[in-house]
Amino acid sequence: MTGTLPLVLVLDSSDVTVEAETLNGIAHVVGLNKHFPADIPDDVASQAIACIVWHTIDVDAELLRRMGKCKAIVRTGAGFDRIDLKSAGSLGIAVCNTPAYGTEEVADSAMSLILNLYRWTLWLEREIANGKEFHGIADVIQVATGARRIRGKTLGLIGVGAIGTALALRAKAFGFDVAFYDPYVPDFVHKSIGINQVETLEELFKISDCISLHCPLTPGTKHVVNKETLQQARDGVFIVNTSRGGLIDETALAEALKSGKVGAAALDVQATEPSTYESGALKGAPNLILTPHSGWYSKEAVIESRETAAKEAAAAIKAHSAQGLRNFVNRRDFVPNETRWK
């Protein structure tokens, strides 16, 4: 099927133009456009030397076991919560990501959502679209009552990786005081960019006027925003999430929005995607902005990420060991397999 070239699968997309160009002469690239593991045929899965994946399919243990020749799963993007890292590692399959992709876009999107909350832009636009006429100051005040001044307010960041750091720099330019909680970064980070580090999540909730999430979804961070942490927050706090939907207990957030404990929220990600808003916990919650996990997108970011993922697949194809791969995220669980990496 692939001639003399090894096979690289793009599991959940049919467009492989960028990947095929990058891997020209190195691998034969096939786009499957499948979104469920069971839909990938055994005879195809068993021949793949590497796989590239977006974020619309679960790469589970059963699928991984069917990939008898696969050396690496490469995620086009940063998050890898839909890939079974431990199962991949136990089979000798390296999992890599492209963490630099979309850094500017997600930071810009988060800043845009924050500005929408502080200046109440979306709700003002909705009123005009619905035919409201603003005849004077009283009409503006009535609709824009949720708008707030930014200068002097504290933006609290949960996580200061590449995106969190990029957002911190943007927020400072708008006049925010920026604080963060991230137990995994070196102590000098806050001093190098002029932001304040706090020692506990509880402290961050207590001092922040707006909280923005920029950490991965792990068992330790699931529902980091929940009923208890929201009770610790300032009354009227804003919540922004451009990271992973599972970081927020949506039932607790909906209740907090309805009670006014949370003044407004802007979410680019939800616990279930595609969005189940009509049947989910957030339906009917006031002062809520939802976007369809699009904060990462720009034409430039997509091309850059796809090229980077393809280059990582090429590196895996050529390598006799996984240890030299960049952004090797399951290194801790990896068990060398000489058959795959011969």
Side-chain angles (χ1 to χ4, degrees), residues 112-327:
S112 173
L113 293 173
I114 292 167
L115 292 174
N116 263 279
L117 298 184
Y118 270 87
R119 302 309 311 142
W120 222 241
T121 311
L122 177 64
W123 293 280
L124 289 163
E125 187 279 333
R126 284 176 178 171
E127 290 294 328
I128 291 177
N130 290 332
K132 182 176 177 62
E133 296 181 359
F134 289 77
H135 293 289
I137 295 172
D139 288 339
V140 173
I141 292 173
Q142 179 186 22
V143 178
T145 185
R148 305 176 188 177
R149 176 177 288 179
I150 288 176
R151 187 161 300 281
K153 299 299 191 298
T154 297
L155 174 64
L157 306 178
I158 300 178
V160 285
I163 294 169
T165 300
L167 176 60
L169 296 173
R170 287 156 171 75
K172 287 180 64 182
F174 278 94
F176 277 106
D177 297 326
V178 180
F180 75 94
Y181 171 73
D182 190 332
Y184 301 103
V185 300
D187 290 340
F188 61 79
V189 167
H190 64 292
K191 292 187 178 296
S192 65
I193 58 174
I195 61 178
N196 301 312
Q197 184 174 17
V198 300
E199 297 300 320
T200 66
L201 195 60
E202 180 180 359
E203 183 181 356
L204 188 75
F205 273 86
K206 286 182 176 179
I207 67 171
S208 298
D209 299 288
C210 178
I211 293 172
S212 189
L213 303 173
H214 301 283
C215 55
L217 178 60
T218 68
T221 61
K222 183 178 180 180
H223 289 180
V224 68
V225 175
N226 55 56
K227 185 174 182 179
E228 181 180 350
T229 53
L230 288 173
Q231 287 174 342
Q232 297 167 352
R234 291 182 171 181
D235 291 342
V237 66
F238 289 155
I239 303 292
V240 175
N241 188 9
T242 54
S243 185
R244 286 291 180 268
L247 297 172
I248 294 179
D249 180 339
E250 292 180 348
T251 299
L253 177 60
E255 292 173 354
L257 283 164
K258 292 172 183 176
S259 72
K261 178 66 178 181
V262 172
L267 312 178
D268 184 52
V269 288
Q270 295 181 58
T272 302
E273 295 178 2
S275 172
T276 55
Y277 174 77
E278 285 298 321
S279 60
L282 293 170
K283 185 176 181 180
N287 302 339
L288 176 65
I289 298 174
L290 297 176
T291 53
H293 202 152
S294 55
W296 56 272
Y297 178 78
S298 73
K299 181 178 180 180
E300 296 87 348
V302 170
I303 293 173
E304 181 181 279
S305 182
R306 291 172 68 180
E307 288 176 343
T308 302
K311 289 175 182 177
E312 192 75 342
I317 290 170
K318 297 173 182 177
H320 297 289
S321 167
Q323 298 307 316
L325 297 177
R326 299 182 65 186
N327 306 309

Side-chain angles (χ1 to χ4, degrees), residues 6-76:
L7 175 65
V8 171
L9 299 177
V10 179
L11 297 184
D12 48 348
S13 178
S14 57
D15 177 10
V16 298
T17 51
V18 174
E19 293 81 3
E21 181 178 351
T22 306
L23 289 164
N24 184 36
I26 300 171
H28 176 62
V29 183
V30 174
L32 298 181
N33 198 27
K34 303 297 185 183
H35 304 285
F36 299 95
D39 292 339
I40 298 176
D42 285 342
D43 61 336
V44 176
S46 64
Q47 296 302 310
I49 302 300
C51 292
I52 297 172
V53 60
W54 287 86
H55 191 63
T56 61
I57 185 171
D58 291 316
V59 183
D60 58 17
E62 188 274 334
L63 176 57
L64 290 164
R65 281 193 292 270
R66 293 194 285 128
M67 295 178 171
K69 296 181 179 179
C70 187
K71 299 169 75 175
I73 306 290
V74 184
R75 165 79 168 94
T76 304

